[in-house]
Amino acid sequence: MSSFAVRLSSTAALVLAAGLLAGLGPPQDSSSGGTQAPTPLARIAPPEATAPDENVRSEPRTLAAVAPPTAAVVTPPGYFSYLYVPGTALRPRQGATTQASATNTGCVYATAGSDLLMNTELHLPEGSTLKYLRLYYNDTDATFNSRGWITRYNGTTWEDLVYVVSTGSPGAGSIVSSELTHPVDNANWGYTLIGAPSGLGSTVQACGLRVAYYAPSQGQFTPITPCRLIDTRAPVFPAPLGGGWLPAATVRSYTIAGVCGLPAGVTAVSLNATVTGPAGPGFLALYPEGGTFPPVSTLNFLGGDTIVNAAVVPLSATGGISMALGVSGGHVILDVNGYYY
């Protein structure tokens, strides 16, 4: 029998198995984690069962191949949004500068160095319009003040888009910049948030930066450098979001907003989905967290396959995605390459 006929026969078996899955009560779990550079795919044998992660929850849920996935809530065009970054998320720009955190406040201050600039990357949706920068500070010495910037860099040139500075009066407070009308251009520029005291010591503290912006038009696609978003093989080697071997008829959910630089307000992601080392034939389903189990699969596979397919998957209103394997368990890898706002 040809390999095509084998896959055709397998697909028919999957359709039958999908109907059987409707009567199962699979557990559901959720995971969260950080990012890491893509790891080469490898054909592997199913690992031993692993202890449940403390971030994973299990609840009864039935997989039913019925209605299409529920669409994610869409942010209206021109919607006024905020991105807040606490002072503790800032890091010294130069190695000679060191910093310390104030207890339970989210504020930071410089303890050594002369540059004193502390920064972090700023990720906003392509086509957004920057409007304001607000700096939060705690200055108990009128001699010093706190400063904040939004800058951009194109590989050759640094450009300050806006600058704001505290008044120098002692005490905690915030100050907002003048109004901006800057369109975000991620394709050609990298954006950075900078917070900096004008002197050393805990008497001058950067407590946070808040960026106000208008959301871009609905449906706008933003490509990004491919990034490994989910890899269930995480217990075997480090990966962004893991969870271990995914058994058949088990729904696993992840919050991916903020992972791989995905900004808030993303409604769908473009990705490559891979199943590797499955125990037998089956199918992969991807859909918004909390949505209805989809009537179609993202890809079908045979036992031992390593198989890839491209997909655009809507997210839930909270930036969540769910996945499940029908018929046979295996490992799932998702590499994101862009998003829709």
Side-chain angles (χ1 to χ4, degrees):
M1 183 181 293
S2 69
S3 60
F4 174 77
V6 169
R7 284 195 176 274
L8 210 55
S9 174
S10 175
T11 301
L14 296 181
V15 172
L16 176 59
L20 294 177
L21 281 174
L24 297 179
Q28 175 172 302
D29 64 52
S30 301
S31 306
S32 60
T35 60
Q36 180 171 316
T39 307
L41 301 181
R43 185 181 295 273
I44 58 175
E48 297 294 328
T50 56
D53 188 275
E54 62 181 3
N55 295 320
V56 173
R57 71 176 188 276
S58 296
E59 301 172 355
R61 180 162 182 180
T62 301
L63 301 186
V66 281
T70 303
V73 175
V74 177
T75 304
Y79 183 78
F80 204 57
S81 302
Y82 296 96
L83 175 68
Y84 177 74
V85 175
T88 49
L90 302 174
R91 294 293 179 267
R93 186 178 72 166
Q94 293 185 359
T97 299
T98 59
Q99 67 184 47
S101 301
T103 305
N104 300 324
T105 64
C107 303
V108 293
Y109 55 91
T111 56
S114 57
D115 179 73
L116 304 187
L117 298 184
M118 296 175 281
N119 59 19
T120 188
E121 293 181 353
L122 174 61
H123 296 286
L124 293 178
E126 181 75 14
S128 300
T129 302
L130 286 169
K131 297 302 292 182
Y132 298 99
L133 172 66
R134 181 176 289 275
L135 168 68
Y136 296 86
Y137 59 87
N138 183 23
D139 300 340
T140 57
D141 186 338
T143 306
F144 300 113
N145 52 43
S146 297
R147 301 161 292 164
W149 291 266
I150 298 177
T151 68
R152 66 177 188 171
Y153 181 64
N154 65 359
T156 304
T157 305
W158 285 99
E159 181 180 327
D160 292 338
L161 300 179
V162 69
Y163 170 74
V164 65
V165 61
S166 66
T167 61
S169 299
S174 71
I175 188 167
V176 68
S177 71
S178 57
E179 184 176 7
L180 286 163
T181 56
H182 176 79
V184 174
D185 178 12
N186 293 314
N188 297 299
W189 296 86
Y191 293 83
T192 303
L193 276 176
I194 299 175
S198 62
L200 298 174
S202 60
T203 58
V204 54
Q205 302 174 7
C207 298
L209 296 159
R210 188 176 75 170
V211 179
Y213 64 96
Y214 281 113
S217 301
Q218 293 179 9
Q220 180 167 314
F221 177 71
T222 301
I224 62 174
T225 301
C227 176
R228 183 136 297 176
L229 189 66
I230 293 169
D231 190 333
T232 62
R233 301 173 298 176
V236 180
F237 58 86
L241 299 174
W245 177 264
L246 182 59
T250 297
V251 175
R252 186 169 293 166
S253 298
Y254 302 84
T255 298
I256 62 174
V259 182
C260 286
L262 294 174
V266 169
T267 61
V269 289
S270 171
L271 52 79
N272 288 326
T274 303
V275 171
T276 187
F283 63 90
L284 168 68
L286 299 172
Y287 58 102
E289 182 179 12
T292 307
F293 192 79
V296 295
S297 63
T298 302
L299 60 80
N300 296 339
F301 54 83
L302 298 176
D305 266 353
T306 293
I307 186 169
V308 185
N309 194 25
V312 173
V313 184
L315 304 182
S316 70
T318 56
I321 188 173
S322 291
M323 65 185 187
L325 293 176
V327 185
S328 300
H331 278 296
V332 180
I333 302 151
L334 302 183
D335 296 308
V336 64
N337 52 52
Y339 59 85
Y340 293 87
Y341 198 78

